[in-house]
Amino acid sequence: MAVHTSRPVRVDDRLGVVPPRGSELRFRTVHGYRRAFRVAGSGPAVVLVHGIGDSSATWEAVLPALARKHLVIAPDLLGHGNSEKPRADYSVAAYANGIRDLLGVLGVQRATLVGHSLGGGVAMQFAYQFPERTERLVLVGTGGAGPDVTPLLRAVSMPGAQALLAALQLPPLRWQAGLVIDALRLLGTDLGRDADDLIRVIDALPDATARAAFIRTLRAVVDWRGQVVTMLDRCYLTRGMPTLLVWGERDAVVPVEHAYTAHRAMPGSRLEIFGDTGHFPFHSDPARFVGLLEEFLASTEPARWSAEQWRQLLRCPPAATGARPGPVSAT
């Protein structure tokens, strides 16, 4: 719900009056498709990118606090949330292009990208494709750092998954799925820690159009053997890009081992592990997440790349960078 005050903060004319703190859901048409996004605050831009099957609403616990000092934009990726769900390209590269184009429509030239899960892969792809528009990277339980992923997503990537997702909307199966998820929670399993979010993702696929978009997105990055997209071959390009990795110690969707793999592959990156936390650390401890992100934003200078600098970096093989990962915090 939008929050209105008597002293609105005016930023770029293409955004108009933006709520100072509470987010407002807005829409823009890009390439003929309606795109939804939440926006709040003013100042340096921070873009929050959600994961697969999710929406911008996932950031509601942290967005108002971040908007105290920043212009925060949280899009619903195409095929998700309140954005349109056409038969379209749902690859990671296409999502990065979509964010670039939405920011162009809004008049935002540069931003810090914060991505969760699939959104982390999208943020990394955005930084790779558009380094001149990326100030910092924050990757939260991100995909692309190894093949391992929860068996649930592997199963849904297989033939017949759309019928299964449709069946889960029927009361008998929906009730049984709820019992399974409740059991996982009561047993204290890692997957059970994210039980509420699993239910929320299932509930966010109420019709055939939403389910088709979800499956197309999933099959672009996952098959029955695991993740099929990697960022590891290009992680060396983050040298000079302030990068923060955030992971839940008990992440059952993308294992925490991937955090250490990505950290080693990203020169100068910083790694923060949230103890006793699953795939959604910004839900489990939003205050800590906001404090960590604000400290990272305040203590780092935004990256600025020229075409020549980027060319030289591309010519430098990974083994020759000589850079080491940054600090690790696990609490």
Side-chain angles (χ1 to χ4, degrees), residues 11-316:
V11 290
D12 190 282
D13 288 340
R14 280 158 284 191
L15 273 171
V17 177
V18 174
R21 292 285 298 277
S23 66
E24 181 179 281
L25 185 65
R26 297 189 180 182
F27 299 89
R28 292 290 189 277
T29 298
V30 183
H31 307 314
Y33 299 123
R34 192 173 78 152
R35 312 289 181 107
F37 63 97
R38 297 175 194 272
V39 60
S42 65
V46 175
V47 177
L48 307 177
V49 189
H50 64 77
I52 189 168
D54 216 331
S55 73
S56 59
T58 198
W59 301 108
E60 286 283 29
V62 301
L63 196 157
L66 292 174
R68 290 178 300 197
K69 299 178 181 178
H70 296 85
L71 171 64
V72 185
I73 301 168
D76 284 358
L77 296 175
L78 195 68
H80 293 71
N82 290 288
S83 289
E84 285 197 56
K85 301 169 180 62
R87 188 174 185 273
D89 181 2
Y90 289 110
S91 66
V92 172
Y95 278 132
N97 289 337
I99 291 175
R100 185 272 315 269
D101 294 340
L102 176 62
L103 294 181
V105 167
L106 299 179
V108 176
Q109 296 302 314
R110 293 168 50 80
T112 292
L113 273 289
V114 181
H116 172 239
S117 199
L118 169 74
V122 173
M124 183 70 182
Q125 184 72 23
F126 183 96
Y128 167 63
Q129 293 178 198
F130 314 113
E132 73 285 356
R133 304 191 68 163
T134 309
E135 295 188 338
R136 303 172 188 82
L137 272 175
V138 181
L139 308 179
V140 186
T142 189
D148 298 324
V149 72
T150 176
L152 288 177
L153 291 180
R154 297 187 191 194
V156 177
S157 73
M158 298 176 69
Q162 191 161 347
L164 174 61
L165 290 176
L168 286 174
Q169 301 300 320
L170 300 175
L173 282 182
R174 178 67 178 79
W175 178 74
Q176 293 179 35
L179 288 179
V180 171
I181 291 173
D182 286 342
L184 292 172
R185 183 194 292 116
L186 291 172
L187 291 171
T189 64
D190 291 351
L191 198 60
R193 292 182 174 277
D194 297 314
D196 292 340
D197 287 298
L198 293 174
I199 293 172
R200 182 171 53 81
V201 168
I202 292 173
D203 290 342
L205 304 172
D207 55 52
T209 302
R211 291 189 289 271
F214 174 84
I215 289 174
R216 288 195 186 104
T217 302
L218 179 64
R219 288 177 178 168
V221 292
V222 172
D223 64 16
W224 65 273
R225 292 174 294 181
Q227 296 187 61
V228 298
V229 175
T230 182
M231 64 180 184
L232 296 178
D233 57 348
R234 285 167 244 187
C235 279
Y236 72 97
L237 295 171
T238 59
R239 184 178 62 172
M241 173 78 67
T243 303
L244 172 64
L245 302 168
V246 181
W247 234 275
E249 183 183 35
R250 298 184 63 179
D251 191 333
V253 178
V254 182
V256 70
E257 289 77 15
H258 289 202
Y260 296 100
T261 299
H263 182 49
R264 288 191 296 269
M266 292 180 160
S269 62
R270 171 179 170 185
L271 174 59
E272 293 283 340
I273 304 295
F274 280 40
D276 203 30
T277 299
H279 190 54
F280 292 80
F282 53 96
H283 289 179
S284 302
D285 194 344
R288 179 186 173 191
F289 183 85
V290 169
L292 175 63
L293 188 51
E294 287 185 334
E295 184 273 327
F296 174 71
L297 293 169
S299 63
T300 56
E301 292 294 325
R304 293 192 178 276
W305 295 102
S306 68
E308 178 59 23
Q309 287 173 319
W310 190 246
R311 186 180 75 87
Q312 291 296 332
L313 189 58
L314 285 168
R315 294 180 63 186
C316 180

